[in-house]
Amino acid sequence: MTIFLAAAEWGGEFDGVFDDINALFDFPFLFSFELFGQEVGINRTILIAWVMTAVVAALFLIGLRNASVVPGKLQTALEAIVELNRTIAMEIIGPKGLKFVPMLTTFMVAIFALNLAKITPFMMLPPTGRVAWPLFFALISWVIYIGVGIKEQGFGHYFGGIAFPSGVPKILYVILTPIELVSTLILRPFTLAVRLFANMAAGHILVVITLVVPWVFLPSFPVGWMLGVVGIAAGPLVFGFELFIIALQAYIFTMLTAVYIDSSMEAH
Amino acid sequence: MTGSLNVIGYGLATLGPGVGLGIMIGHALESMARQPEAAGMVRTTMFIGIAVVEALALLGFVLAFAIN
């Protein structure tokens, strides 16, 4: 333990980054202008998001433009993604959920692609690690499941069903109504956003530390050298683990959106 | 020695949801193994439960940053 601490004391070249963790996520504008008194511009996060969007759009256009009955490799892979979302919609929402398959697929692919920038060489920054992206996805999901609830059940019936769940003694509504309202209308989109954001921010910090450790410690021959070797060995493991987290978060976001839509479909 | 108590607070806040998730996922696995034909329903309900329990851990994570 002491040798690790000594080694950590030695490598002090990343002062700025380690003093302020925000430096890992904040990037200066490459190009900016004033809009309603607010500085609006293009920074690295937006650029990465554009590139990932272009890549995904190109993949789907090329893969599905000449869709054939006997699919090629790319078409098989893309159809597997749509099939997965179809299964989610069928299992959770039922036959009525088939019209949500395009939306769920969009969510899953967009979140997966934006997360994937975390371990893509030359990018190494997930746009979803900034809270604005997950928050916006969660906002879309929130609008959709409340909209579905109002459309399927009517305004009064839907909010009445949330506030006064049936089958409980009347006296319990004193406690239950505020809890249900807060959890359905505020906590649901909030946790959707924060779950994705927290996973991506923590993952980005982990990846950065894994990559910085060999860089800092390998040159310090007598003391910290071994730590650099450990860092190199940990690299593939960390990247594999992050790939797993990326896919899992995309899946969970899609699945929970489907679950919320299902809970708006009929009163429970 | 300097530092933030918030970090310790978040460490403590993970304990409850950790135990809760362990119990819930363990029981879900058990019931899926006993009744594989109900796996889809069990998995869906498990994810709803995970979302509720995990909300506590996420609240702790956010409050650790939000409160100074």
Side-chain angles (χ1 to χ4, degrees):
Chain A
M1 195 62 208
T2 328
I3 196 165
F4 275 50
L5 281 178
E9 292 276 329
W10 183 83
E13 295 183 30
F14 280 81
D15 275 348
V17 171
F18 285 133
D19 281 352
D20 182 10
I21 207 80
N22 288 323
L24 291 178
F25 294 94
D26 268 335
F27 292 95
F29 287 127
L30 304 172
F31 162 80
S32 72
F33 54 90
E34 289 269 324
L35 190 69
F36 305 123
Q38 190 80 26
E39 200 182 12
V40 181
I42 309 300
N43 63 7
R44 207 166 147 233
T45 321
I46 305 290
L47 214 57
I48 287 173
W50 280 356
V51 170
M52 291 318 270
T53 312
V55 167
V56 168
L59 267 182
F60 269 77
L61 277 179
I62 294 170
L64 298 179
R65 191 181 46 193
N66 294 319
S68 54
V69 180
V70 182
K73 279 178 190 162
L74 186 59
Q75 195 186 339
T76 313
L78 296 176
E79 279 177 0
I81 299 174
V82 180
E83 192 64 39
L84 175 63
N85 284 284
R86 206 183 144 85
T87 316
I88 291 177
M90 274 303 274
E91 270 189 8
I92 296 177
I93 313 179
K96 268 178 152 182
L98 286 183
K99 63 182 172 192
F100 295 109
V101 171
M103 185 205 79
L104 294 177
T105 313
T106 310
F107 265 146
M108 183 176 277
V109 172
I111 292 175
F112 182 79
L114 290 181
N115 290 352
L116 196 64
K118 177 162 69 173
I119 55 170
T120 308
F122 307 112
M123 294 183 182
M124 306 303 289
L125 172 76
T128 37
R130 304 289 307 268
V131 81
W133 285 90
L135 211 56
F136 191 68
F137 283 126
L139 204 64
I140 297 173
S141 169
W142 185 73
V143 167
I144 286 174
Y145 77 72
I146 287 186
V148 167
I150 291 174
K151 192 178 159 222
E152 293 284 323
Q153 303 183 29
F155 188 86
H157 195 239
Y158 174 59
F159 284 102
I162 294 174
F164 304 105
S166 56
V168 287
K170 290 253 182 316
I171 186 76
L172 270 184
Y173 284 149
V174 179
I175 315 170
L176 214 54
T177 302
I179 292 179
E180 284 291 317
L181 279 177
V182 166
S183 104
T184 308
L185 298 181
I186 299 171
L187 233 47
R188 269 183 184 182
F190 178 75
T191 51
L192 266 185
V194 173
R195 177 178 301 113
L196 185 54
F197 160 70
N199 275 291
M200 288 308 118
H204 181 53
I205 295 170
L206 182 64
V207 167
V208 167
I209 288 177
T210 313
L211 296 181
V212 163
V213 157
W215 206 86
V216 170
F217 287 118
L218 272 184
S220 64
F221 181 67
V223 189
W225 178 75
M226 285 304 287
L227 199 57
V229 176
V230 171
I232 290 180
L237 295 178
V238 169
F239 272 52
F241 175 70
E242 287 306 325
L243 187 60
F244 167 69
I245 295 286
I246 284 167
L248 188 73
Q249 289 308 317
Y251 177 70
I252 284 189
F253 195 101
T254 316
M255 179 140 188
L256 281 175
T257 304
V259 167
Y260 293 158
I261 289 175
D262 174 55
S263 73
S264 314
M265 278 287 199
E266 71 229 21
H268 287 289
Chain B
M1 189 170 161
T2 58
S4 174
L5 268 180
N6 293 351
V7 180
I8 296 176
Y10 176 58
L12 289 175
T14 55
L15 290 180
V19 171
L21 285 177
I23 291 175
M24 178 174 8
I25 298 172
H27 280 260
L29 281 179
E30 200 176 308
S31 57
M32 276 189 231
R34 285 184 188 204
Q35 241 179 326
E37 66 270 16
M41 200 193 67
V42 171
R43 194 181 300 122
T44 310
T45 321
M46 182 185 82
F47 272 110
I48 300 174
I50 285 179
V52 174
V53 174
E54 211 184 20
L56 298 172
L58 293 174
L59 282 179
F61 180 80
V62 172
L63 289 180
F65 284 108
I67 297 177
N68 284 316

